[in-house]
Amino acid sequence: METVKPKILLCEDDTNLGMVLKNYLELNDYDVTLERDGRLGLAAFQREKLDICLLDVMMPNMDGIEFLRRAKLVTSAKVIIISSVARIDSKEAREVLELGAADIIPKPSGVLSIDFEEQKSLELLDAIHKCL
């Protein structure tokens, strides 16, 4: 019998980071849908049964804050913010938490794959596991 993989929506407009995160999560047994902006991400929530959303704040066509406002009307899936803007002590962080974000993880910086694997991967997986 095949186990069902948790379904994650990844909304990230940075092509390189999006692919690194998508590949990393798929290697860790998640089914990942990658969308490049908030409008496409919201449409994915409306057409698919998703468990978690990993959401950037600064995106084209609809930012992450507006996405959160609209998404809570169509889904009960947990949303984890991955952003360089929404640092823990920022105005944006307070706003996304008030809108229902489950967690905030700072975006990787520097050499992407090395930085992500060494500093953020366990933090990201831990946040996902807490939401499932």
Side-chain angles (χ1 to χ4, degrees):
M1 179 164 58
E2 192 173 320
T3 59
V4 177
K5 296 178 181 183
K7 296 184 89 163
I8 295 177
L9 170 62
L10 172 59
C11 290
E12 174 57 61
D13 62 320
D14 180 296
T15 304
N16 293 330
L17 179 58
M19 289 309 301
V20 167
L21 289 172
K22 183 178 189 316
N23 291 337
Y24 178 77
L25 292 167
E26 288 174 343
L27 287 172
N28 282 278
D29 278 340
Y30 293 100
D31 181 4
V32 181
T33 299
L34 174 61
E35 296 295 352
R36 302 285 182 202
D37 69 50
R39 283 189 190 154
L40 295 173
L42 194 59
F45 258 150
Q46 292 171 329
R47 75 174 178 269
E48 297 179 45
K49 170 88 172 87
L50 298 158
D51 299 303
I52 295 174
C53 175
L54 303 178
L55 179 66
D56 186 9
V57 172
M58 300 296 290
M59 293 184 294
N61 299 320
M62 180 189 302
D63 68 21
I65 293 171
E66 183 60 27
F67 177 97
L68 270 172
R69 283 189 188 104
R70 295 181 186 196
K72 69 181 184 181
L73 300 174
V74 297
T75 185
S76 60
K78 301 285 186 188
V79 177
I80 299 170
I81 302 296
I82 299 179
S83 178
S84 56
V85 176
R87 299 289 179 194
I88 298 301
D89 59 349
S90 71
K91 173 185 164 254
E92 290 85 1
R94 287 189 299 278
E95 188 170 6
V96 298
L97 291 171
E98 287 171 5
L99 288 169
D103 204 347
I104 300 170
I105 298 175
K107 264 189 183 179
S109 61
V111 179
L112 183 62
S113 61
I114 293 170
D115 183 66
F116 176 73
E117 290 173 15
E118 291 181 3
Q119 295 180 17
K120 302 296 178 202
S121 60
L122 293 178
E123 185 178 354
L124 178 60
L125 291 177
D126 185 52
I128 291 169
H129 288 269
K130 287 178 183 176
C131 289
L132 290 176

